[in-house]
Amino acid sequence: MSFRVWAPAPRDVAVRVRGEDHPLADAGWGVREGVVADAAAGDDYWFVLDGTPWPDPATRWQPEGMRGPSRVLDTDAFAWTDAGWSPPALGDMVIYELHVGTFSSEGTFDGVIGHLDQLAELGVNAIELLPVADGPGMRGWGYDGVYPGAAHRAYGGPAGLARLVDAAHRAGIAVLLDVVYNHVGASGNQAYQAFGPYFTDRYSTIWGEAINYDDRGADGVREWVLQNAQGWIRDFHLDGLRLDAIHAIHDTSAGHIVQELTQRVHAVSEHAVVIAGSGLNDPKVMQPVADNGLGCDGAWADDFHHALRVLLTGERQGYYADFGDVWQLAKAFRTPHVHDGTWSDVRGRGFGAPSDMLAPTAFVVFSQNHDQVGNRAIGDRLPEECRRLAAFAVLLSPFVPMLFQGEEYGEAGPFQFFTDHIDADIARATREGRRREFAGFAEFAAEDVPDPQDPQTFQRSKLTRREQPGMRDYYRGVLALRRSFGHTPVEDVAFDEAQRWLVVRRAGADLAMNFAREERTVPAGHGTVVLAPLSGEVVW
Amino acid sequence: MSFRVWAPAPRDVAVRVRGEDHPLADAGWGVREGVVADAAAGDDYWFVLDGTPWPDPATRWQPEGMRGPSRVLDTDAFAWTDAGWSPPALGDMVIYELHVGTFSSEGTFDGVIGHLDQLAELGVNAIELLPVADGPGMRGWGYDGVYPGAAHRAYGGPAGLARLVDAAHRAGIAVLLDVVYNHVGASGNQAYQAFGPYFTDRYSTIWGEAINYDDRGADGVREWVLQNAQGWIRDFHLDGLRLDAIHAIHDTSAGHIVQELTQRVHAVSEHAVVIAGSGLNDPKVMQPVADNGLGCDGAWADDFHHALRVLLTGERQGYYADFGDVWQLAKAFRTPHVHDGTWSDVRGRGFGAPSDMLAPTAFVVFSQNHDQVGNRAIGDRLPEECRRLAAFAVLLSPFVPMLFQGEEYGEAGPFQFFTDHIDADIARATREGRRREFAGFAEFAAEDVPDPQDPQTFQRSKLTRREQPGMRDYYRGVLALRRSFGHTPVEDVAFDEAQRWLVVRRAGADLAMNFAREERTVPAGHGTVVLAPLSGEVVW
């Protein structure tokens, strides 16, 4: 079989298979390639750069982890049964974000499979996996991943992922994958630098060295990312990607890497969706490439979350400080960018741009997600008394709703920040960074903040699956109601800032939301149905 | 009269007029304002921040230079006589780039006026002034300017500029101004920091601290730039701006500052043009704002220059290394971005994007300009034997041609890099930087590189106005021919790489360009006129 790698940095490159080094020839443009006659799927291999062995930057399989050998994966050998599958359009999706390690007791891809039918029955038709890239240790959220193409061995590796995707499609559920193209887990820097200029010092990110998208040698790096994205769709039958934090992807090229990526992904499958995690509040992210947009199908709408959350809980710390008024959620029901050129106290400047040209289905909304739960000091979920109203607002909005694992039945356990760094200095920095982050919060002593490296922090974050009575039925009911609304737009929004209520008229119904902590009377449209999540049930 | 300044940094702000400090009130958003009853146009003033006096960041007049007081300017007092003036569209312009200090013996705005009729007679209908912002000392190119709104006292200050613009309009000549919004001359950093967050450490530029367009407090900085741009058009009757190096303007805002700027400028006058100096090869720079472009009317096409120059001279140092083939100029005659997604050796990556959607008149082309002459070690112009062919290619192209002062008559003197830094460390760094820059060039010893701080370097750069016989007539003739071509597009381009000739068919004529150093025979279209700059004249 043939081996091929982009490695402009070293003088000599060989591939080591079955203990033997086979020199690779220079194919130009930094590409080295060669044929090893007796190599086969399942063989371990290393690329040997000037005598030192390294894993393949484009590895699909790291059976012994990020510092072990790569293994040849034959993606054609997956036993797919999803030939007739076609995913729902993004606008018809109900997404469920889950973390493979904590979603099931097994903590594996196979462990997810047994829960799929229950999700489908609830009304979920897409799951979105937190990043599964192989990285340091055996547990973590996935954002420190080092090899973006290698499904983590702790979850069951690439074959496990393929089994999950196949089973999901059988259950009528699409699978989206969170992918991180803004940095590489710091534990992997050296391994990449050995091959070529993967990083640039033109920019920096808070998580690690910036990936080189527009400096010398960027073409090979871009291709590595683009082929990674294509590979998930083509070889693992994934239905879409969620791009982590594209605001941290710095690229001054005339064709931004995200723009190239959406084109490549859509070329593999016109049904595949690309959803951006974007802190830019910039409609260009979702505008078509023909209009000089980045061409993402949708983006997470953090502002909608913040507007909703702060009304529900009254919290004002950190980036919640910009929110707390009913008009903001009223605006968010029209256009989820609350900051659309307007002043942001938190940023100390005007922020964002109007997004009126976008369909509501270009926005993914949620009341909980891994960030908004897990990046709290103790990873606690929305307080019980808020949950029904939160779900009501999210699920009956005209936007694409996303649930966070466990919210559908009122999970009581936390989702905390956990890591398994194998480099002592990174482990220490992560632990201390976490403590420092919450040092300013009066309600937490330093010792209250869970140690991310402690295996118990991971264990505590596993779903307990103890159900809050009535909650699953409530979600099922509201999701059924959502389906009956179809793609009807928001017709009108009324609110009373002082009385703290909001009424959204949609599909001939008045959706009444009361953020006061006492009873309110709201005006009902003539001949409309008033829906409200008043007494633990949807009233209609 | 009232004084108003954006100064969020200091606690107390006053304006000092006629020796007296008048406290300014907080008008919100960092703005301080107040009325000083007995102040009048012509009065000097300082803003006093927590006891320390500083010039006005938005100053229009620095009669004693960048570290002296600002002076109140009454722009309504200019005696304009250009009421009937309307500038040519960019597509009809023949631009002439000039440096006020070296263009005339006087070295002032008034010194330019006496030469305007001769330029108009030649066929020039727009002059573009190198930056005139007040900055360190009494001589310099202008890119170290500190106060972008204050026309330099060495040139005659704001009244002198107004007289020049008025005279130019009388002579049928538009006036464009080169403005620098990517950094502020380092000598001014402290003066700006005293007022507010004018700079950010998110990015850096090779010339100095990056201006804060997207970090905390950016709104006031953006407004300072936007009002500066508007002011030139509105109050000084300038017909357009050339934005220096927009690739060094870093801004992740949903609305890029250049996009906002083009909208503001066009709102002041629909006739005003904005031309970008852009090293991005990105058509978005010139695409309309409605298509998510930056909305510039045009941009300098450096690739056209490089393709032409390297064919003419065979030079391959620095960024010329990417050029030297006839096909590149052939491509540039179709679309001046030679790098339109293709590989650039110099950048070590693919670069640019296709710009087919743009009209030819969105590109400004030239065979010489302040950069391409002045940034050579000794500032020498194109060799004599190349000049006619160079002008032929530029002036008969379908793009907007720009001449550099003196080329129209074959000026023999150099245009060198000169400065007058008043801060000893900046002066030393500039002098040493210049020597270091050319240390790698075998043909120059360190002592051959002129000392930028030496007044003689400035003196040597003044136009001698000794004319190369026949050259002015040649330019006049080719420009007349250009006018007869109107806006006809390029119909066809033929070339022979080995024979080093290129024939561009336009307006029924075959424009034959021979880059071999010997005679060539080129195919002529049936029934077309063959034009070639063979024997020192345009042959037709």
Side-chain angles (χ1 to χ4, degrees):
Chain A
M1 67 184 312
S2 67
F3 290 82
R4 193 172 159 85
V5 64
W6 180 68
R11 201 184 57 238
D12 297 319
V13 181
V15 62
R16 181 172 297 168
V17 191
R18 302 184 185 180
E20 209 171 313
D21 287 7
H22 306 265
L24 298 181
D26 188 339
W29 303 94
V31 173
R32 314 297 182 103
E33 59 183 13
V35 173
V36 180
D38 60 345
D43 277 351
D44 286 347
Y45 67 102
W46 301 89
F47 285 119
V48 184
L49 313 186
D50 294 332
T52 306
W54 298 99
D56 180 358
T59 175
R60 289 344 242 301
W61 196 358
Q62 291 296 116
E64 298 166 34
M66 51 165 278
R67 297 211 170 127
S70 303
R71 184 169 289 173
V72 176
L73 179 72
D74 179 7
T75 53
D76 291 336
F78 293 152
W80 293 105
T81 66
D82 66 348
W85 168 252
S86 177
L90 176 60
D92 293 321
M93 282 187 185
V94 175
I95 305 175
Y96 184 95
E97 189 188 32
L98 72 83
H99 173 262
V100 174
T102 54
F103 176 72
S104 70
S105 53
E106 301 91 329
T108 62
F109 295 123
D110 287 326
V112 176
I113 294 174
H115 298 279
L116 292 170
D117 286 340
Q118 198 184 21
L119 288 176
E121 180 268 341
L122 187 72
V124 166
N125 60 6
I127 56 174
E128 179 173 314
L129 312 181
L130 263 67
V132 301
D134 203 293
M138 294 297 275
R139 45 180 202 278
W141 286 11
Y143 299 94
D144 293 314
V146 168
Y147 291 110
H152 205 293
R153 70 196 191 285
Y155 297 158
L161 176 60
R163 285 192 299 274
L164 168 56
V165 175
D166 197 55
H169 289 173
R170 227 162 30 231
I173 291 179
V175 185
L176 312 177
L177 179 63
D178 196 341
V179 285
V180 182
Y181 297 137
N182 50 53
H183 79 293
V184 160
S187 321
N189 283 0
Q190 237 194 317
Y192 279 99
Q193 280 155 345
F195 285 86
Y198 276 86
F199 308 113
T200 175
D201 55 10
R202 281 194 186 181
Y203 316 104
S204 60
T205 83
I206 55 168
W207 310 288
E209 290 196 71
I211 293 183
N212 170 19
Y213 289 114
D214 65 3
D215 208 346
R216 297 192 73 80
D219 294 21
V221 183
R222 295 170 72 95
E223 200 54 40
W224 166 75
V225 161
L226 295 169
Q227 292 190 15
N228 178 267
Q230 289 175 287
W232 288 122
I233 308 299
R234 184 188 60 221
D235 300 331
F236 287 84
H237 294 200
L238 284 160
D239 300 294
L241 301 174
R242 181 263 181 184
L243 310 182
D244 180 56
I246 65 162
H247 52 272
I249 296 180
H250 299 286
D251 184 8
T252 57
S253 306
H256 192 279
I257 182 69
V258 172
Q259 194 179 57
E260 269 197 68
L261 188 147
T262 57
Q263 292 176 92
R264 288 273 196 108
V265 166
H266 291 142
V268 175
S269 164
E270 54 177 333
H271 301 298
V273 301
V274 179
I275 299 169
S278 160
L280 298 168
N281 278 30
D282 187 346
K284 283 197 289 297
V285 171
M286 295 89 104
Q287 285 189 272
V289 173
D291 294 343
N292 282 319
L294 299 185
C296 293
D297 300 279
W300 283 17
D302 281 5
D303 280 8
F304 184 95
H305 168 271
H306 303 342
L308 175 59
R309 168 143 202 142
V310 179
L311 286 182
L312 290 168
T313 66
E315 293 162 300
R316 298 298 297 273
Q317 74 275 27
Y319 49 73
Y320 292 161
D322 274 340
F323 295 88
D325 293 333
V326 182
W327 69 260
Q328 294 171 311
L329 186 60
K331 181 175 180 180
F333 264 98
R334 296 283 196 183
T335 161
H337 290 170
V338 173
H339 292 299
D340 57 0
T342 50
W343 177 258
S344 164
D345 258 335
V346 167
R347 297 178 183 85
R349 52 160 307 200
F351 190 68
S355 57
D356 314 59
M357 75 295 280
L358 299 174
T361 50
F363 298 92
V364 176
V365 296
F366 40 82
S367 66
Q368 306 191 50
N369 69 17
H370 76 276
D371 265 331
Q372 304 302 338
V373 173
N375 276 326
R376 299 172 62 79
I378 58 169
D380 50 324
R381 290 159 182 271
L382 261 187
E384 269 194 44
E385 68 276 13
C386 310
R387 292 176 184 173
R388 284 184 167 82
L389 180 49
F392 183 88
V394 167
L395 300 179
L396 297 181
S397 80
F399 313 116
V400 179
M402 185 175 78
L403 315 184
F404 181 59
Q405 61 176 24
E407 78 165 81
E408 77 280 16
Y409 61 76
E411 168 68 44
F415 183 73
Q416 301 186 327
F417 181 69
F418 48 86
T419 56
D420 187 19
H421 283 296
I422 54 178
D423 294 311
D425 50 340
I426 299 176
R428 193 176 49 246
T430 302
R431 186 182 277 135
E432 287 169 4
R434 196 74 186 174
R435 288 231 176 104
R436 218 174 18 249
E437 191 178 341
F438 295 100
F441 290 73
E443 63 267 46
F444 299 108
E447 58 274 20
D448 292 337
V449 178
D451 174 0
Q453 288 284 109
D454 181 348
Q456 282 309 310
T457 306
F458 168 66
Q459 288 300 333
R460 265 194 307 272
S461 301
K462 286 197 169 239
L463 294 183
T464 66
R465 298 197 172 273
R466 282 193 299 274
E467 304 217 347
Q468 187 180 337
M471 190 58 93
R472 186 182 290 277
D473 290 339
Y474 177 79
Y475 268 79
R476 190 186 298 104
V478 179
L479 280 168
L481 187 54
R482 174 183 179 79
R483 284 192 297 279
S484 77
F485 280 10
H487 289 285
T488 53
V490 167
E491 291 158 40
D492 199 12
V493 182
F495 66 93
D496 186 314
E497 195 67 66
Q499 296 284 308
R500 301 192 69 74
W501 58 255
L502 170 70
V503 178
V504 174
R505 181 168 306 167
R506 207 189 149 205
D510 279 324
L511 308 174
M513 290 167 258
N514 175 6
F515 299 98
R517 313 242 154 173
E518 50 193 301
E519 218 172 284
R520 288 287 182 252
T521 305
V522 303
H526 190 71
T528 62
V529 181
V530 180
L531 303 173
L534 285 180
S535 50
E537 308 210 347
V538 191
V539 179
W540 52 344
Chain B
M1 66 186 311
S2 68
F3 291 82
R4 193 171 160 85
V5 65
W6 179 69
R11 201 184 59 240
D12 297 319
V13 182
V15 61
R16 180 171 299 168
V17 191
R18 301 184 186 181
E20 209 172 314
D21 287 5
H22 307 264
L24 298 181
D26 188 339
W29 304 94
V31 173
R32 315 295 184 105
E33 60 183 13
V35 173
V36 180
D38 60 345
D43 276 351
D44 288 347
Y45 67 101
W46 301 89
F47 285 121
V48 183
L49 312 186
D50 294 331
T52 307
W54 298 100
D56 180 358
T59 174
R60 292 339 245 301
W61 195 359
Q62 291 295 116
E64 297 165 33
M66 51 166 279
R67 297 211 170 125
S70 303
R71 183 171 290 174
V72 176
L73 178 71
D74 179 7
T75 53
D76 291 335
F78 293 150
W80 293 106
T81 67
D82 65 349
W85 168 252
S86 177
L90 177 59
D92 294 320
M93 281 187 185
V94 174
I95 305 174
Y96 184 95
E97 189 187 32
L98 72 82
H99 173 261
V100 175
T102 55
F103 176 73
S104 70
S105 52
E106 301 90 330
T108 61
F109 295 122
D110 286 326
V112 176
I113 294 174
H115 298 277
L116 290 170
D117 287 339
Q118 198 183 21
L119 288 176
E121 181 267 342
L122 187 73
V124 165
N125 60 8
I127 56 174
E128 179 173 315
L129 311 181
L130 264 67
V132 302
D134 203 292
M138 293 297 274
R139 45 181 203 279
W141 286 11
Y143 298 95
D144 293 313
V146 169
Y147 292 109
H152 206 292
R153 71 197 191 282
Y155 298 157
L161 176 60
R163 284 192 299 272
L164 168 56
V165 174
D166 196 56
H169 290 172
R170 226 160 32 228
I173 292 178
V175 185
L176 312 177
L177 179 64
D178 196 340
V179 285
V180 182
Y181 297 138
N182 50 54
H183 80 292
V184 160
S187 322
N189 283 2
Q190 235 193 318
Y192 279 98
Q193 280 156 344
F195 285 86
Y198 275 86
F199 308 113
T200 174
D201 55 12
R202 281 195 185 179
Y203 317 102
S204 59
T205 84
I206 54 169
W207 310 289
E209 290 197 71
I211 292 181
N212 170 21
Y213 289 114
D214 65 5
D215 207 347
R216 296 192 74 80
D219 294 21
V221 183
R222 295 170 72 96
E223 201 54 40
W224 166 74
V225 161
L226 295 169
Q227 293 190 15
N228 178 267
Q230 290 176 289
W232 289 123
I233 308 298
R234 184 189 59 222
D235 300 331
F236 287 84
H237 293 202
L238 284 161
D239 300 293
L241 302 174
R242 182 263 180 184
L243 310 182
D244 181 55
I246 66 162
H247 53 272
I249 295 180
H250 300 288
D251 184 9
T252 58
S253 307
H256 192 281
I257 183 69
V258 173
Q259 194 178 58
E260 267 197 70
L261 188 147
T262 57
Q263 291 176 93
R264 289 275 195 107
V265 166
H266 292 141
V268 175
S269 164
E270 54 177 332
H271 301 298
V273 301
V274 180
I275 299 170
S278 159
L280 298 168
N281 278 29
D282 187 345
K284 283 198 289 296
V285 170
M286 295 89 103
Q287 284 188 273
V289 172
D291 294 341
N292 281 319
L294 299 186
C296 292
D297 299 279
W300 283 18
D302 280 4
D303 281 7
F304 185 95
H305 168 270
H306 302 342
L308 175 60
R309 167 140 203 145
V310 179
L311 287 181
L312 291 169
T313 67
E315 293 162 302
R316 298 297 297 275
Q317 72 275 26
Y319 49 74
Y320 292 161
D322 274 340
F323 296 87
D325 294 333
V326 182
W327 70 260
Q328 295 170 312
L329 186 60
K331 181 176 180 178
F333 265 98
R334 296 283 196 184
T335 160
H337 289 170
V338 173
H339 293 299
D340 56 0
T342 51
W343 176 259
S344 164
D345 259 333
V346 167
R347 296 178 184 84
R349 54 160 305 201
F351 189 68
S355 57
D356 313 60
M357 75 296 280
L358 298 174
T361 49
F363 298 93
V364 176
V365 297
F366 39 81
S367 65
Q368 306 190 50
N369 69 18
H370 76 276
D371 266 330
Q372 304 302 337
V373 173
N375 276 325
R376 300 171 61 79
I378 57 169
D380 50 324
R381 291 159 182 269
L382 263 187
E384 267 194 47
E385 68 275 14
C386 309
R387 292 176 184 173
R388 283 185 170 80
L389 180 49
F392 183 88
V394 166
L395 299 181
L396 297 181
S397 79
F399 314 115
V400 179
M402 184 176 77
L403 316 183
F404 181 57
Q405 62 177 24
E407 76 165 83
E408 77 281 15
Y409 61 77
E411 168 67 45
F415 183 73
Q416 302 187 326
F417 180 69
F418 48 85
T419 56
D420 186 19
H421 284 295
I422 55 177
D423 294 311
D425 50 340
I426 299 176
R428 192 174 51 246
T430 302
R431 185 181 279 137
E432 287 168 5
R434 195 75 185 173
R435 288 232 175 103
R436 215 170 25 246
E437 191 178 339
F438 295 101
F441 291 73
E443 64 268 44
F444 299 109
E447 59 272 21
D448 292 337
V449 178
D451 175 359
Q453 288 284 108
D454 181 349
Q456 282 308 309
T457 306
F458 168 66
Q459 287 301 331
R460 266 194 306 272
S461 301
K462 286 199 168 234
L463 294 183
T464 66
R465 298 197 173 271
R466 281 191 301 273
E467 304 217 346
Q468 188 181 337
M471 190 59 96
R472 186 182 290 275
D473 289 339
Y474 176 80
Y475 268 78
R476 188 185 299 104
V478 180
L479 280 168
L481 186 55
R482 173 184 180 80
R483 284 193 296 278
S484 77
F485 281 11
H487 288 286
T488 56
V490 168
E491 292 158 37
D492 199 12
V493 182
F495 66 94
D496 186 314
E497 194 67 67
Q499 296 285 308
R500 301 188 75 70
W501 57 254
L502 170 71
V503 177
V504 174
R505 181 169 303 164
R506 207 188 150 208
D510 280 323
L511 309 173
M513 290 167 257
N514 175 7
F515 298 100
R517 311 244 155 173
E518 50 193 301
E519 223 171 272
R520 288 286 183 254
T521 306
V522 303
H526 189 70
T528 61
V529 183
V530 180
L531 305 173
L534 286 181
S535 51
E537 307 210 349
V538 192
V539 179
W540 52 343

